[in-house]
Amino acid sequence: MARFDSVLVPMDEYMNHQIAETFASVQQSDRSWTEKICLCVGAKDGSISLGFGLGKYINRNVMDAYGAVSRGVEQITVRASRQLSPDTDTYCVGPLHYEIVEPLKRIRVRLEDNDVQPIAFDVMLECLEIPPFLEEHEFRRQLGAYRVDTDLVRYHQSGVASGWIKVDGKTYEVTPDTFFCTRDHSWGVRYGVGETPTDIQPGLDSTKFPMNFHWSPMRMVRPDGSVYGIHHFYLNIPIPGVPKIVQGGIEHADGSRDEFADIDSELSYHPNTRRLQGGDIHLTLKSGEKRTLHLEVVSDTGVHLGAGMYFGFDGHHHGQWRGERNVEGERFDDCTDLDALKRLHQIRDCIVKVTDGDAVGYGNIQTVINGVWEDYGLLKEAEFI
């Protein structure tokens, strides 16, 4: 007897199945199940950066995406959302396109000319020297409750980029010598997807707790020209029963990794905007070796991910149904304005020049430091997530 409880999609033609089901569904029905792409392309001189994200929400029948350009304190963003079915395996949403040119090596992102904002781009990300690395399985329950809040697999990668970015009719050439790129790809149950249900007991709101978070993939070059990567993930929520999370390592071209045992940082943040201003990250490897990374923030450039729905934006959220097709966007002339920051939130890309001994490279560090941190000069008056 034929099945009518599922459907075939183009991906089912390939021999990649891992469960007894078609690619039209995932193994669980949680509405927060997400497959997410996020990437950054940045000029080494800090003149301009590009942010791109794409999300696939099978249990919500939604695909959404954003493309954003940052120049100093200015940011321009285009967002789009569409009904996922029946076009489940095409990674485009309105004018935004994501193309896998060569798996795990070359990715192309495009934003077509559009009527929403005066930005467009066509950029190839090339990650040829360093393979992607899986991060530790991220699993957390909702604070103060039992529900699984996060159950994610993620990998990241760094490389160089080529192509062009256009803003207000001006075209910026993107070349491997002058631009770097970082990207990550995750899938699983994710926080911040859709609106919080109103008919269940609310859990403790983690955005109200003090939090010190920073995450970064970095592409490093030794004096002899050889390339390696550094990745770290640091999360400190200083309340009883919540352990500090530390992961990452020195990543080599042969796929091996020297893992970190501990991370300590001496970073500084702007007292009002809480934007990273630079400093040192002290690393202790599991071998016992100690290393210090010096971070120099090259400019004010860096895309605020809030405009891509991270922590929500103007009442909307990742994976939210916006109709069969929706395209929108906005322009912020000054992202350091506190009213703008409260809409855009803290989490943002920050282009840093990194020194590791005699090696020099560039990376994208994302930070959130919420609550009162007197050692950093961060007081309650300037608190926002």
Side-chain angles (χ1 to χ4, degrees), residues 212-260:
N212 186 353
F213 164 80
H214 41 92
W215 172 94
S216 179
M218 304 167 179
R219 177 182 180 271
M220 306 299 298
V221 182
R222 301 183 183 90
D224 64 4
S226 60
V227 176
Y228 67 99
I230 302 176
H231 166 261
H232 85 281
F233 181 112
Y234 176 91
L235 176 62
N236 183 11
I237 300 177
I239 61 175
V242 179
K244 181 175 73 172
I245 298 175
V246 168
Q247 60 169 286
I250 309 298
E251 302 172 339
H252 304 291
D254 63 1
S256 63
R257 174 170 47 192
D258 302 325
E259 295 187 356
F260 299 146

Side-chain angles (χ1 to χ4, degrees), residues 282-312:
H282 304 293
L283 308 171
T284 301
L285 279 67
K286 289 186 176 180
S287 65
E289 178 188 355
K290 295 184 180 295
R291 298 168 79 149
T292 294
L293 307 179
H294 179 68
L295 309 184
E296 176 188 346
V297 176
V298 299
S299 75
D300 290 324
T301 296
V303 168
H304 289 252
L305 276 67
M309 299 295 181
Y310 287 78
F311 292 124

Side-chain angles (χ1 to χ4, degrees), residues 162-227:
S162 59
W164 54 267
I165 302 170
K166 185 167 64 176
V167 185
D168 293 328
K170 178 180 179 180
T171 300
Y172 297 80
E173 184 183 8
V174 178
T175 68
D177 291 336
T178 57
F179 281 75
F180 75 97
C181 68
T182 64
R183 70 185 192 99
D184 71 85
H185 180 179
S186 62
W187 56 95
V189 174
R190 187 182 185 92
Y191 48 87
V193 176
E195 295 185 5
T196 301
T198 58
D199 62 342
I200 61 174
Q201 180 185 13
L204 298 177
D205 186 353
S206 61
T207 65
K208 304 301 182 184
F209 292 140
M211 175 195 303
N212 186 353
F213 164 80
H214 41 92
W215 172 94
S216 179
M218 304 167 179
R219 177 182 180 271
M220 306 299 298
V221 182
R222 301 183 183 90
D224 64 4
S226 60
V227 176

Side-chain angles (χ1 to χ4, degrees), residues 21 37 133 143 145 200 212 220 253 276 288 311 316 321 323 372:
E21 188 52 275
I37 300 292
F133 283 84
L143 293 173
I200 61 174
N212 186 353
M220 306 299 298
L276 179 68
F311 292 124
H316 297 297
W321 173 257
V372 176

